[in-house]
Amino acid sequence: MSVLRRGSVSKAVLDEVSPYGSRRLVVETDGVVSAAYLRNAKDAVVGAVWIANHSPASQDFDRARLDAGLAPLLSADHISHPEGRPALGHLETVWFEEGDGVAILEAGELLCVIPGWSDMERGIPGYSRDATKQSPFAFPLSDEPFGPRLERARQHWQTVRADGSWADFQQSVLGHLLHRLGPGGHYWHDVGRQLRDGLAPTVGVSERPARGNRQFTVLSTVGMSRQRMPTIELYEDEVAPHARIELALATTLPSQRAGSIFPWLAQYPWRSVTWFAPGDVVKWYHEARTFPLNTTESADWEGVLLLDDPTRLPGPIAPPMDGLTVQGDPVRWLWLVPITAEEHDYAKSEGSDALIRRLSQQSRSWVVS
């Protein structure tokens, strides 16, 4: 499948990194065509869109420019300005809340959008105001109702930047944890700071010590649910039920040691542009001996299984965690269960349900001891 490529004579008129540091937007022009490219951390193009012709279009598709590695002049019957339009004016961006897509405005008017589902290798470009028919290089902006999406994004970034907004959000989650788990113990601030490159989400960790009939401590993230996770709409028709999570760990291990697992996971969805779903397995990025939940007696763990219903494994009754919403979306807590490298591979080949059944048969508890 043909893709838009960067030409050697093109110049960048906009170059901007996403708030999470995981995507980079570059708008380029060579005076004949303008196009936008969304690149990942490895500088590979993951999404692109033709924006405009600045020279008269022909009646046929311009293969010569594409063969030369340049964004093509779209044919006259595919665009709203077949005579060519002036150079781009003042450009500004609105990044999606999830960080996986971006809208570009010209003089305050929506010009184009590269959503998270744009994939040039599969012939799915972004959406352009000047496109009137679908092509491998641009879909008409009118094909997709982006207005509510952009308004939600604007409100999100406005809220994130507002004085006191983090404290308000933090208190709402801590209040929920107090109601569900009882008084808090230690609190770790911004546990993902050392692993992030951009303005990734602020995430803390709250300790809820054992109390009453609960003989284990619960460690929970505070902050992941403040923003929706990326790429969910590639897999789910309804985004809201899956969009916001916090992570939890039930353990009898020393809290400081067990809690050191969260810096790895707290920024993961936005750093890697992915999402966490129940049943997902995530492999540790370093040597097994450095995995935070390993002990001197056992150094077998090399990853985690994420469970929204920990009672699928043996162990005590799990505390109910439902009831919190953010921007109208329900927040789901996913519990961490350590797994071996072999169990990670087994889940990848046979599915997480098969792994959960096997762990249950082995009497593996969801409480980490």
Side-chain angles (χ1 to χ4, degrees), residues 192-206:
R193 182 192 301 270
Q194 62 268 41
L195 291 182
R196 71 182 189 217
D197 298 318
L199 299 177
T202 299
V203 181
V205 173
S206 173

Side-chain angles (χ1 to χ4, degrees), residues 26-339:
V26 181
V27 178
E28 296 182 342
T29 185
D30 62 357
V32 179
V33 174
S34 292
Y37 305 86
L38 198 60
R39 299 175 177 273
N40 63 18
K42 298 180 179 179
D43 205 36
V45 173
V46 293
V49 64
W50 169 95
I51 295 178
N53 286 359
H54 302 296
S55 296
S58 65
Q59 297 304 312
D60 298 318
F61 175 69
D62 176 17
R63 171 63 63 179
R65 282 180 56 87
L66 190 65
D67 290 343
L70 303 172
L73 274 162
L74 291 195
S75 56
D77 63 339
H78 278 72
I79 59 177
S80 57
H81 299 286
E83 72 285 0
R85 55 146 289 175
L88 300 178
H90 174 70
L91 302 180
E92 58 182 315
T93 61
V94 178
W95 287 92
F96 289 5
E97 175 183 355
E98 302 87 343
D100 59 353
V102 63
I104 303 172
L105 287 72
E106 181 186 29
E109 298 293 328
L110 188 57
L111 178 66
C112 64
V113 178
I114 307 179
W117 61 84
S118 175
D119 185 341
M120 297 304 295
E121 293 298 328
R122 295 192 294 129
I124 305 176
Y127 297 75
S128 175
R129 183 181 66 192
D130 287 358
T132 57
K133 292 182 180 179
Q134 289 192 2
S135 76
F137 311 101
F139 288 168
L141 196 56
S142 58
D143 282 2
E144 190 74 21
F146 284 110
R149 180 68 170 267
L150 297 185
E151 182 58 29
R152 185 184 186 103
R154 286 191 182 97
Q155 290 179 357
H156 170 74
W157 296 117
Q158 182 178 2
T159 298
V160 165
R161 295 183 178 111
D163 291 341
S165 66
W166 164 250
D168 291 342
F169 169 84
Q170 182 187 48
Q171 287 306 309
S172 70
V173 180
L174 292 176
H176 180 78
L177 293 174
L178 174 64
H179 176 67
R180 292 301 193 190
L181 300 170
H186 194 75
Y187 183 85
W188 291 269
H189 295 272
D190 205 3
V191 297
R193 182 192 301 270
Q194 62 268 41
L195 291 182
R196 71 182 189 217
D197 298 318
L199 299 177
T202 299
V203 181
V205 173
S206 173
E207 176 193 39
R208 302 287 150 162
R211 63 190 296 266
N213 293 328
R214 193 183 75 230
Q215 299 180 354
F216 54 87
T217 293
V218 175
L219 301 173
S220 171
T221 59
V222 177
M224 293 182 72
S225 62
R226 197 182 185 200
Q227 48 282 304
R228 286 181 162 188
M229 293 181 292
T231 72
I232 295 174
E233 53 208 332
L234 295 176
Y235 307 95
E236 301 288 346
D237 293 332
E238 294 291 332
V239 173
H242 313 277
R244 300 184 190 272
I245 65 161
E246 298 288 352
L247 299 178
L249 178 69
T251 184
T252 59
L253 297 174
S255 293
Q256 181 138 2
R257 185 175 74 193
S260 63
I261 195 169
F262 290 109
W264 165 49
L265 295 169
Q267 313 294 340
Y268 196 108
W270 299 275
R271 186 176 66 245
S272 300
V273 193
T274 188
W275 64 297
F276 285 156
D280 278 355
V281 290
V282 189
K283 194 170 185 179
W284 180 239
Y285 69 97
H286 205 4
E287 297 176 0
R289 62 182 178 81
T290 66
F291 187 69
L293 300 181
N294 278 329
T295 65
T296 55
E297 293 79 16
S298 173
D300 296 330
W301 308 133
E302 294 190 42
V304 292
L305 166 69
L306 307 180
L307 289 179
D308 63 336
D309 179 10
T311 60
R312 296 181 67 184
L313 294 180
I317 297 175
M321 300 296 288
D322 60 306
L324 180 68
T325 61
V326 175
Q327 298 295 319
D329 298 338
V331 177
R332 175 162 44 184
W333 264 260
L334 298 180
W335 297 83
L336 307 182
V337 176
I339 57 175

